[in-house]
Every structure is written in structure tokens, then in C-alpha cells.
Amino acid sequence: ARIKQATDRIAEVTNSYFSAELPVIASTTSRSQSSQDQVEPEPQHLPFYNVEESKAQVAELLDQLKTEQRTRAMTSLSAWFTEQAAKVEAEVVKLKTKEEECVSLGK
């Protein structure tokens, strides 16, 4: 649920920043006489972008993801899985040895 909240908040901040109208850029190629006579609108400027506030928001969103706790849990699970895989491999070797003994006794 927190990941969803953090993702939604990131989308909200991103959308609010990029939803502002971009400045109009006039083309310098292939203008007709009629378009040259038209008055071009003044470019609209993007809203002020506060870098420090954005950094704080990103830090807060990352903190909500609890990345350190998730990393510890994943490391623990990885170690457990590696241990279990080694046990399975050892058991497979024992089983093959017993099968070979049974086959050799049966001949």
C-alpha cells in the first residue's frame, strides 16, 4: 500500500510539473508570406522549479519505500535460499550414490 502511495505521489508531482504549457518555439524554416505577417504569441514560461523542495520530496518518497528494510529482508531470503539449494544438492548426490549402489547390487 505504501509503494502505491509513493508511486502515486511521484506521478502527481511529475504530472504537475510537466502539465505546464511549454513555450511556443517558432519554426525558422519554410515560412509562407501569410505566416510571416501573423503576430507570434509571446512564449509562456515554465513555472519556477524549486530543486531543494524536489529533493526533499524525493527523499521523503524514497524513505516511504523502506528500501533499507526491504534490502535486509531480501538479503536474508537470498541467504536462506542459497542454504536450502546447497542442502538439496547434497541430498541429490546422496540419492545418486544410493541408486548406483542399488543398481550394482542388482546386477
Side-chain angles (χ1 to χ4, degrees), residues 5 10 17 20 34 36 42 46 56 61 69 71 77 80 82-83 95-96 100 103 107:
Q5 289 174 343
I10 290 171
Y17 176 73
S34 63
Q36 287 178 355
E42 288 293 317
L46 293 175
L61 293 171
Q69 290 173 343
T71 301
L77 288 171
W80 177 85
T82 302
E83 181 183 319
L95 180 59
K96 283 186 180 182
E100 289 171 0
V103 169
K107 286 187 178 180

mmCIF file with all atom_site columns, all heavy atoms in Angstrom, residues 5 10 17 20 34 36 42 46 56 61 69 71 77 80 82-83 95-96 100 103 107:
data_model
loop_
_atom_site.group_PDB
_atom_site.id
_atom_site.type_symbol
_atom_site.label_atom_id
_atom_site.label_alt_id
_atom_site.label_comp_id
_atom_site.label_asym_id
_atom_site.label_entity_id
_atom_site.label_seq_id
_atom_site.pdbx_PDB_ins_code
_atom_site.Cartn_x
_atom_site.Cartn_y
_atom_site.Cartn_z
_atom_site.occupancy
_atom_site.B_iso_or_equiv
_atom_site.pdbx_formal_charge
_atom_site.auth_seq_id
_atom_site.auth_comp_id
_atom_site.auth_asym_id
_atom_site.auth_atom_id
_atom_site.pdbx_PDB_model_num
ATOM 1   N N   . GLN A 1 5   ? 1.166  4.342   -2.678  1.00 0.00 ? 5   GLN A N   1
ATOM 2   C CA  . GLN A 1 5   ? 1.070  5.746   -2.285  1.00 0.00 ? 5   GLN A CA  1
ATOM 3   C C   . GLN A 1 5   ? 2.267  6.541   -2.790  1.00 0.00 ? 5   GLN A C   1
ATOM 4   O O   . GLN A 1 5   ? 2.117  7.639   -3.322  1.00 0.00 ? 5   GLN A O   1
ATOM 5   C CB  . GLN A 1 5   ? 0.980  5.873   -0.764  1.00 0.00 ? 5   GLN A CB  1
ATOM 6   C CG  . GLN A 1 5   ? -0.326 5.412   -0.171  1.00 0.00 ? 5   GLN A CG  1
ATOM 7   C CD  . GLN A 1 5   ? -0.287 5.420   1.347   1.00 0.00 ? 5   GLN A CD  1
ATOM 8   O OE1 . GLN A 1 5   ? 0.779  5.458   1.950   1.00 0.00 ? 5   GLN A OE1 1
ATOM 9   N NE2 . GLN A 1 5   ? -1.459 5.373   1.971   1.00 0.00 ? 5   GLN A NE2 1
ATOM 10  N N   . ILE A 1 10  ? 4.677  10.320  -6.664  1.00 0.00 ? 10  ILE A N   1
ATOM 11  C CA  . ILE A 1 10  ? 5.676  10.644  -7.686  1.00 0.00 ? 10  ILE A CA  1
ATOM 12  C C   . ILE A 1 10  ? 4.979  11.031  -8.978  1.00 0.00 ? 10  ILE A C   1
ATOM 13  O O   . ILE A 1 10  ? 5.337  12.016  -9.622  1.00 0.00 ? 10  ILE A O   1
ATOM 14  C CB  . ILE A 1 10  ? 6.634  9.454   -7.922  1.00 0.00 ? 10  ILE A CB  1
ATOM 15  C CG1 . ILE A 1 10  ? 7.548  9.274   -6.708  1.00 0.00 ? 10  ILE A CG1 1
ATOM 16  C CG2 . ILE A 1 10  ? 7.467  9.659   -9.187  1.00 0.00 ? 10  ILE A CG2 1
ATOM 17  C CD1 . ILE A 1 10  ? 8.371  8.018   -6.739  1.00 0.00 ? 10  ILE A CD1 1
ATOM 18  N N   . TYR A 1 17  ? 4.345  19.069  -12.643 1.00 0.00 ? 17  TYR A N   1
ATOM 19  C CA  . TYR A 1 17  ? 5.463  19.810  -13.221 1.00 0.00 ? 17  TYR A CA  1
ATOM 20  C C   . TYR A 1 17  ? 5.367  19.862  -14.740 1.00 0.00 ? 17  TYR A C   1
ATOM 21  O O   . TYR A 1 17  ? 5.527  20.891  -15.351 1.00 0.00 ? 17  TYR A O   1
ATOM 22  C CB  . TYR A 1 17  ? 6.800  19.185  -12.807 1.00 0.00 ? 17  TYR A CB  1
ATOM 23  C CG  . TYR A 1 17  ? 7.972  19.872  -13.469 1.00 0.00 ? 17  TYR A CG  1
ATOM 24  C CD1 . TYR A 1 17  ? 8.368  21.144  -13.069 1.00 0.00 ? 17  TYR A CD1 1
ATOM 25  C CD2 . TYR A 1 17  ? 8.655  19.269  -14.516 1.00 0.00 ? 17  TYR A CD2 1
ATOM 26  C CE1 . TYR A 1 17  ? 9.420  21.786  -13.680 1.00 0.00 ? 17  TYR A CE1 1
ATOM 27  C CE2 . TYR A 1 17  ? 9.717  19.914  -15.129 1.00 0.00 ? 17  TYR A CE2 1
ATOM 28  C CZ  . TYR A 1 17  ? 10.090 21.168  -14.718 1.00 0.00 ? 17  TYR A CZ  1
ATOM 29  O OH  . TYR A 1 17  ? 11.129 21.802  -15.327 1.00 0.00 ? 17  TYR A OH  1
ATOM 30  N N   . ALA A 1 20  ? 2.428  21.955  -17.128 1.00 0.00 ? 20  ALA A N   1
ATOM 31  C CA  . ALA A 1 20  ? 2.506  23.373  -17.504 1.00 0.00 ? 20  ALA A CA  1
ATOM 32  C C   . ALA A 1 20  ? 2.760  23.472  -19.005 1.00 0.00 ? 20  ALA A C   1
ATOM 33  O O   . ALA A 1 20  ? 3.433  22.647  -19.585 1.00 0.00 ? 20  ALA A O   1
ATOM 34  C CB  . ALA A 1 20  ? 3.641  24.052  -16.738 1.00 0.00 ? 20  ALA A CB  1
ATOM 35  N N   . SER A 1 34  ? 2.100  34.651  -45.588 1.00 0.00 ? 34  SER A N   1
ATOM 36  C CA  . SER A 1 34  ? 0.972  34.898  -44.693 1.00 0.00 ? 34  SER A CA  1
ATOM 37  C C   . SER A 1 34  ? 1.338  34.595  -43.244 1.00 0.00 ? 34  SER A C   1
ATOM 38  O O   . SER A 1 34  ? 0.893  35.273  -42.330 1.00 0.00 ? 34  SER A O   1
ATOM 39  C CB  . SER A 1 34  ? -0.248 34.090  -45.121 1.00 0.00 ? 34  SER A CB  1
ATOM 40  O OG  . SER A 1 34  ? 0.056  32.714  -45.027 1.00 0.00 ? 34  SER A OG  1
ATOM 41  N N   . GLN A 1 36  ? 4.298  34.896  -41.978 1.00 0.00 ? 36  GLN A N   1
ATOM 42  C CA  . GLN A 1 36  ? 5.233  35.916  -41.518 1.00 0.00 ? 36  GLN A CA  1
ATOM 43  C C   . GLN A 1 36  ? 4.488  37.162  -41.076 1.00 0.00 ? 36  GLN A C   1
ATOM 44  O O   . GLN A 1 36  ? 4.942  37.892  -40.215 1.00 0.00 ? 36  GLN A O   1
ATOM 45  C CB  . GLN A 1 36  ? 6.218  36.283  -42.626 1.00 0.00 ? 36  GLN A CB  1
ATOM 46  C CG  . GLN A 1 36  ? 7.254  35.200  -42.870 1.00 0.00 ? 36  GLN A CG  1
ATOM 47  C CD  . GLN A 1 36  ? 8.199  35.573  -44.005 1.00 0.00 ? 36  GLN A CD  1
ATOM 48  O OE1 . GLN A 1 36  ? 8.014  36.594  -44.665 1.00 0.00 ? 36  GLN A OE1 1
ATOM 49  N NE2 . GLN A 1 36  ? 9.191  34.728  -44.224 1.00 0.00 ? 36  GLN A NE2 1
ATOM 50  N N   . GLU A 1 42  ? 3.586  35.527  -27.459 1.00 0.00 ? 42  GLU A N   1
ATOM 51  C CA  . GLU A 1 42  ? 4.735  35.538  -26.565 1.00 0.00 ? 42  GLU A CA  1
ATOM 52  C C   . GLU A 1 42  ? 4.889  34.147  -25.953 1.00 0.00 ? 42  GLU A C   1
ATOM 53  O O   . GLU A 1 42  ? 3.905  33.502  -25.600 1.00 0.00 ? 42  GLU A O   1
ATOM 54  C CB  . GLU A 1 42  ? 4.523  36.559  -25.442 1.00 0.00 ? 42  GLU A CB  1
ATOM 55  C CG  . GLU A 1 42  ? 4.626  37.994  -25.895 1.00 0.00 ? 42  GLU A CG  1
ATOM 56  C CD  . GLU A 1 42  ? 6.036  38.346  -26.331 1.00 0.00 ? 42  GLU A CD  1
ATOM 57  O OE1 . GLU A 1 42  ? 7.002  37.950  -25.640 1.00 0.00 ? 42  GLU A OE1 1
ATOM 58  O OE2 . GLU A 1 42  ? 6.168  39.003  -27.377 1.00 0.00 ? 42  GLU A OE2 1
ATOM 59  N N   . LEU A 1 46  ? 7.879  28.284  -18.167 1.00 0.00 ? 46  LEU A N   1
ATOM 60  C CA  . LEU A 1 46  ? 7.578  27.228  -17.210 1.00 0.00 ? 46  LEU A CA  1
ATOM 61  C C   . LEU A 1 46  ? 7.545  27.816  -15.807 1.00 0.00 ? 46  LEU A C   1
ATOM 62  O O   . LEU A 1 46  ? 8.231  28.791  -15.521 1.00 0.00 ? 46  LEU A O   1
ATOM 63  C CB  . LEU A 1 46  ? 8.642  26.135  -17.279 1.00 0.00 ? 46  LEU A CB  1
ATOM 64  C CG  . LEU A 1 46  ? 8.684  25.320  -18.562 1.00 0.00 ? 46  LEU A CG  1
ATOM 65  C CD1 . LEU A 1 46  ? 9.878  24.371  -18.527 1.00 0.00 ? 46  LEU A CD1 1
ATOM 66  C CD2 . LEU A 1 46  ? 7.404  24.525  -18.734 1.00 0.00 ? 46  LEU A CD2 1
ATOM 67  N N   . ALA A 1 56  ? 13.772 17.164  -1.434  1.00 0.00 ? 56  ALA A N   1
ATOM 68  C CA  . ALA A 1 56  ? 13.136 16.767  -0.179  1.00 0.00 ? 56  ALA A CA  1
ATOM 69  C C   . ALA A 1 56  ? 11.962 15.827  -0.436  1.00 0.00 ? 56  ALA A C   1
ATOM 70  O O   . ALA A 1 56  ? 11.783 14.837  0.272   1.00 0.00 ? 56  ALA A O   1
ATOM 71  C CB  . ALA A 1 56  ? 12.668 18.001  0.588   1.00 0.00 ? 56  ALA A CB  1
ATOM 72  N N   . LEU A 1 61  ? 9.732  10.352  -0.373  1.00 0.00 ? 61  LEU A N   1
ATOM 73  C CA  . LEU A 1 61  ? 9.118  9.235   -1.085  1.00 0.00 ? 61  LEU A CA  1
ATOM 74  C C   . LEU A 1 61  ? 9.982  7.981   -1.010  1.00 0.00 ? 61  LEU A C   1
ATOM 75  O O   . LEU A 1 61  ? 9.475  6.875   -0.808  1.00 0.00 ? 61  LEU A O   1
ATOM 76  C CB  . LEU A 1 61  ? 8.850  9.612   -2.551  1.00 0.00 ? 61  LEU A CB  1
ATOM 77  C CG  . LEU A 1 61  ? 7.793  10.692  -2.753  1.00 0.00 ? 61  LEU A CG  1
ATOM 78  C CD1 . LEU A 1 61  ? 7.767  11.128  -4.215  1.00 0.00 ? 61  LEU A CD1 1
ATOM 79  C CD2 . LEU A 1 61  ? 6.424  10.200  -2.322  1.00 0.00 ? 61  LEU A CD2 1
ATOM 80  N N   . GLN A 1 69  ? 14.954 -1.671  4.876   1.00 0.00 ? 69  GLN A N   1
ATOM 81  C CA  . GLN A 1 69  ? 14.296 -2.849  5.437   1.00 0.00 ? 69  GLN A CA  1
ATOM 82  C C   . GLN A 1 69  ? 14.085 -3.906  4.348   1.00 0.00 ? 69  GLN A C   1
ATOM 83  O O   . GLN A 1 69  ? 14.290 -5.095  4.578   1.00 0.00 ? 69  GLN A O   1
ATOM 84  C CB  . GLN A 1 69  ? 12.947 -2.476  6.042   1.00 0.00 ? 69  GLN A CB  1
ATOM 85  C CG  . GLN A 1 69  ? 13.063 -1.651  7.292   1.00 0.00 ? 69  GLN A CG  1
ATOM 86  C CD  . GLN A 1 69  ? 11.712 -1.153  7.785   1.00 0.00 ? 69  GLN A CD  1
ATOM 87  O OE1 . GLN A 1 69  ? 10.740 -1.160  7.040   1.00 0.00 ? 69  GLN A OE1 1
ATOM 88  N NE2 . GLN A 1 69  ? 11.666 -0.717  9.029   1.00 0.00 ? 69  GLN A NE2 1
ATOM 89  N N   . THR A 1 71  ? 15.854 -4.306  1.644   1.00 0.00 ? 71  THR A N   1
ATOM 90  C CA  . THR A 1 71  ? 17.154 -4.854  1.269   1.00 0.00 ? 71  THR A CA  1
ATOM 91  C C   . THR A 1 71  ? 17.593 -5.903  2.274   1.00 0.00 ? 71  THR A C   1
ATOM 92  O O   . THR A 1 71  ? 18.082 -6.976  1.890   1.00 0.00 ? 71  THR A O   1
ATOM 93  C CB  . THR A 1 71  ? 18.212 -3.734  1.156   1.00 0.00 ? 71  THR A CB  1
ATOM 94  O OG1 . THR A 1 71  ? 17.766 -2.789  0.181   1.00 0.00 ? 71  THR A OG1 1
ATOM 95  C CG2 . THR A 1 71  ? 19.561 -4.278  0.760   1.00 0.00 ? 71  THR A CG2 1
ATOM 96  N N   . LEU A 1 77  ? 16.526 -13.517 2.780   1.00 0.00 ? 77  LEU A N   1
ATOM 97  C CA  . LEU A 1 77  ? 15.879 -14.540 1.955   1.00 0.00 ? 77  LEU A CA  1
ATOM 98  C C   . LEU A 1 77  ? 16.856 -15.167 0.967   1.00 0.00 ? 77  LEU A C   1
ATOM 99  O O   . LEU A 1 77  ? 16.819 -16.372 0.729   1.00 0.00 ? 77  LEU A O   1
ATOM 100 C CB  . LEU A 1 77  ? 14.694 -13.941 1.196   1.00 0.00 ? 77  LEU A CB  1
ATOM 101 C CG  . LEU A 1 77  ? 13.465 -13.617 2.038   1.00 0.00 ? 77  LEU A CG  1
ATOM 102 C CD1 . LEU A 1 77  ? 12.457 -12.826 1.208   1.00 0.00 ? 77  LEU A CD1 1
ATOM 103 C CD2 . LEU A 1 77  ? 12.845 -14.892 2.574   1.00 0.00 ? 77  LEU A CD2 1
ATOM 104 N N   . TRP A 1 80  ? 19.002 -17.640 2.890   1.00 0.00 ? 80  TRP A N   1
ATOM 105 C CA  . TRP A 1 80  ? 18.225 -18.839 3.193   1.00 0.00 ? 80  TRP A CA  1
ATOM 106 C C   . TRP A 1 80  ? 18.072 -19.706 1.952   1.00 0.00 ? 80  TRP A C   1
ATOM 107 O O   . TRP A 1 80  ? 18.263 -20.919 2.002   1.00 0.00 ? 80  TRP A O   1
ATOM 108 C CB  . TRP A 1 80  ? 16.846 -18.444 3.733   1.00 0.00 ? 80  TRP A CB  1
ATOM 109 C CG  . TRP A 1 80  ? 15.979 -19.632 4.002   1.00 0.00 ? 80  TRP A CG  1
ATOM 110 C CD1 . TRP A 1 80  ? 15.950 -20.389 5.137   1.00 0.00 ? 80  TRP A CD1 1
ATOM 111 C CD2 . TRP A 1 80  ? 15.023 -20.210 3.112   1.00 0.00 ? 80  TRP A CD2 1
ATOM 112 N NE1 . TRP A 1 80  ? 15.031 -21.399 5.011   1.00 0.00 ? 80  TRP A NE1 1
ATOM 113 C CE2 . TRP A 1 80  ? 14.441 -21.317 3.772   1.00 0.00 ? 80  TRP A CE2 1
ATOM 114 C CE3 . TRP A 1 80  ? 14.596 -19.907 1.832   1.00 0.00 ? 80  TRP A CE3 1
ATOM 115 C CZ2 . TRP A 1 80  ? 13.472 -22.113 3.173   1.00 0.00 ? 80  TRP A CZ2 1
ATOM 116 C CZ3 . TRP A 1 80  ? 13.629 -20.699 1.240   1.00 0.00 ? 80  TRP A CZ3 1
ATOM 117 C CH2 . TRP A 1 80  ? 13.077 -21.782 1.908   1.00 0.00 ? 80  TRP A CH2 1
ATOM 118 N N   . THR A 1 82  ? 19.963 -19.828 -0.719  1.00 0.00 ? 82  THR A N   1
ATOM 119 C CA  . THR A 1 82  ? 21.259 -20.411 -1.086  1.00 0.00 ? 82  THR A CA  1
ATOM 120 C C   . THR A 1 82  ? 21.568 -21.612 -0.204  1.00 0.00 ? 82  THR A C   1
ATOM 121 O O   . THR A 1 82  ? 22.034 -22.652 -0.687  1.00 0.00 ? 82  THR A O   1
ATOM 122 C CB  . THR A 1 82  ? 22.374 -19.346 -0.957  1.00 0.00 ? 82  THR A CB  1
ATOM 123 O OG1 . THR A 1 82  ? 22.038 -18.243 -1.809  1.00 0.00 ? 82  THR A OG1 1
ATOM 124 C CG2 . THR A 1 82  ? 23.716 -19.890 -1.345  1.00 0.00 ? 82  THR A CG2 1
ATOM 125 N N   . GLU A 1 83  ? 21.280 -21.481 1.085   1.00 0.00 ? 83  GLU A N   1
ATOM 126 C CA  . GLU A 1 83  ? 21.500 -22.584 2.029   1.00 0.00 ? 83  GLU A CA  1
ATOM 127 C C   . GLU A 1 83  ? 20.617 -23.785 1.673   1.00 0.00 ? 83  GLU A C   1
ATOM 128 O O   . GLU A 1 83  ? 21.076 -24.928 1.648   1.00 0.00 ? 83  GLU A O   1
ATOM 129 C CB  . GLU A 1 83  ? 21.195 -22.107 3.447   1.00 0.00 ? 83  GLU A CB  1
ATOM 130 C CG  . GLU A 1 83  ? 21.399 -23.148 4.523   1.00 0.00 ? 83  GLU A CG  1
ATOM 131 C CD  . GLU A 1 83  ? 21.011 -22.614 5.895   1.00 0.00 ? 83  GLU A CD  1
ATOM 132 O OE1 . GLU A 1 83  ? 21.331 -21.446 6.190   1.00 0.00 ? 83  GLU A OE1 1
ATOM 133 O OE2 . GLU A 1 83  ? 20.383 -23.376 6.652   1.00 0.00 ? 83  GLU A OE2 1
ATOM 134 N N   . LEU A 1 95  ? 21.417 -39.349 -2.958  1.00 0.00 ? 95  LEU A N   1
ATOM 135 C CA  . LEU A 1 95  ? 20.428 -40.186 -3.629  1.00 0.00 ? 95  LEU A CA  1
ATOM 136 C C   . LEU A 1 95  ? 21.044 -40.899 -4.834  1.00 0.00 ? 95  LEU A C   1
ATOM 137 O O   . LEU A 1 95  ? 20.826 -42.102 -5.037  1.00 0.00 ? 95  LEU A O   1
ATOM 138 C CB  . LEU A 1 95  ? 19.236 -39.343 -4.072  1.00 0.00 ? 95  LEU A CB  1
ATOM 139 C CG  . LEU A 1 95  ? 18.107 -40.072 -4.798  1.00 0.00 ? 95  LEU A CG  1
ATOM 140 C CD1 . LEU A 1 95  ? 17.520 -41.169 -3.922  1.00 0.00 ? 95  LEU A CD1 1
ATOM 141 C CD2 . LEU A 1 95  ? 17.038 -39.095 -5.237  1.00 0.00 ? 95  LEU A CD2 1
ATOM 142 N N   . LYS A 1 96  ? 21.851 -40.200 -5.619  1.00 0.00 ? 96  LYS A N   1
ATOM 143 C CA  . LYS A 1 96  ? 22.505 -40.824 -6.776  1.00 0.00 ? 96  LYS A CA  1
ATOM 144 C C   . LYS A 1 96  ? 23.450 -41.929 -6.329  1.00 0.00 ? 96  LYS A C   1
ATOM 145 O O   . LYS A 1 96  ? 23.533 -42.990 -6.956  1.00 0.00 ? 96  LYS A O   1
ATOM 146 C CB  . LYS A 1 96  ? 23.258 -39.775 -7.591  1.00 0.00 ? 96  LYS A CB  1
ATOM 147 C CG  . LYS A 1 96  ? 22.364 -38.921 -8.444  1.00 0.00 ? 96  LYS A CG  1
ATOM 148 C CD  . LYS A 1 96  ? 23.160 -37.995 -9.330  1.00 0.00 ? 96  LYS A CD  1
ATOM 149 C CE  . LYS A 1 96  ? 22.213 -37.159 -10.180 1.00 0.00 ? 96  LYS A CE  1
ATOM 150 N NZ  . LYS A 1 96  ? 22.934 -36.273 -11.106 1.00 0.00 ? 96  LYS A NZ  1
ATOM 151 N N   . GLU A 1 100 ? 23.090 -45.836 -7.378  1.00 0.00 ? 100 GLU A N   1
ATOM 152 C CA  . GLU A 1 100 ? 24.183 -46.574 -8.013  1.00 0.00 ? 100 GLU A CA  1
ATOM 153 C C   . GLU A 1 100 ? 24.488 -47.849 -7.235  1.00 0.00 ? 100 GLU A C   1
ATOM 154 O O   . GLU A 1 100 ? 24.767 -48.905 -7.806  1.00 0.00 ? 100 GLU A O   1
ATOM 155 C CB  . GLU A 1 100 ? 25.420 -45.693 -8.132  1.00 0.00 ? 100 GLU A CB  1
ATOM 156 C CG  . GLU A 1 100 ? 25.285 -44.583 -9.153  1.00 0.00 ? 100 GLU A CG  1
ATOM 157 C CD  . GLU A 1 100 ? 26.424 -43.590 -9.115  1.00 0.00 ? 100 GLU A CD  1
ATOM 158 O OE1 . GLU A 1 100 ? 27.360 -43.739 -8.289  1.00 0.00 ? 100 GLU A OE1 1
ATOM 159 O OE2 . GLU A 1 100 ? 26.377 -42.642 -9.934  1.00 0.00 ? 100 GLU A OE2 1
ATOM 160 N N   . VAL A 1 103 ? 21.759 -50.353 -8.062  1.00 0.00 ? 103 VAL A N   1
ATOM 161 C CA  . VAL A 1 103 ? 21.928 -50.884 -9.420  1.00 0.00 ? 103 VAL A CA  1
ATOM 162 C C   . VAL A 1 103 ? 23.070 -51.905 -9.441  1.00 0.00 ? 103 VAL A C   1
ATOM 163 O O   . VAL A 1 103 ? 22.951 -52.967 -10.050 1.00 0.00 ? 103 VAL A O   1
ATOM 164 C CB  . VAL A 1 103 ? 22.197 -49.738 -10.424 1.00 0.00 ? 103 VAL A CB  1
ATOM 165 C CG1 . VAL A 1 103 ? 22.633 -50.271 -11.771 1.00 0.00 ? 103 VAL A CG1 1
ATOM 166 C CG2 . VAL A 1 103 ? 20.962 -48.873 -10.588 1.00 0.00 ? 103 VAL A CG2 1
ATOM 167 N N   . LYS A 1 107 ? 22.811 -56.302 -10.245 1.00 0.00 ? 107 LYS A N   1
ATOM 168 C CA  . LYS A 1 107 ? 23.421 -56.949 -11.416 1.00 0.00 ? 107 LYS A CA  1
ATOM 169 C C   . LYS A 1 107 ? 24.003 -58.262 -11.077 1.00 0.00 ? 107 LYS A C   1
ATOM 170 O O   . LYS A 1 107 ? 24.482 -58.786 -10.282 1.00 0.00 ? 107 LYS A O   1
ATOM 171 C CB  . LYS A 1 107 ? 24.486 -56.044 -12.039 1.00 0.00 ? 107 LYS A CB  1
ATOM 172 C CG  . LYS A 1 107 ? 23.884 -54.895 -12.779 1.00 0.00 ? 107 LYS A CG  1
ATOM 173 C CD  . LYS A 1 107 ? 24.964 -54.150 -13.494 1.00 0.00 ? 107 LYS A CD  1
ATOM 174 C CE  . LYS A 1 107 ? 24.386 -53.011 -14.298 1.00 0.00 ? 107 LYS A CE  1
ATOM 175 N NZ  . LYS A 1 107 ? 25.344 -52.249 -15.012 1.00 0.00 ? 107 LYS A NZ  1
#
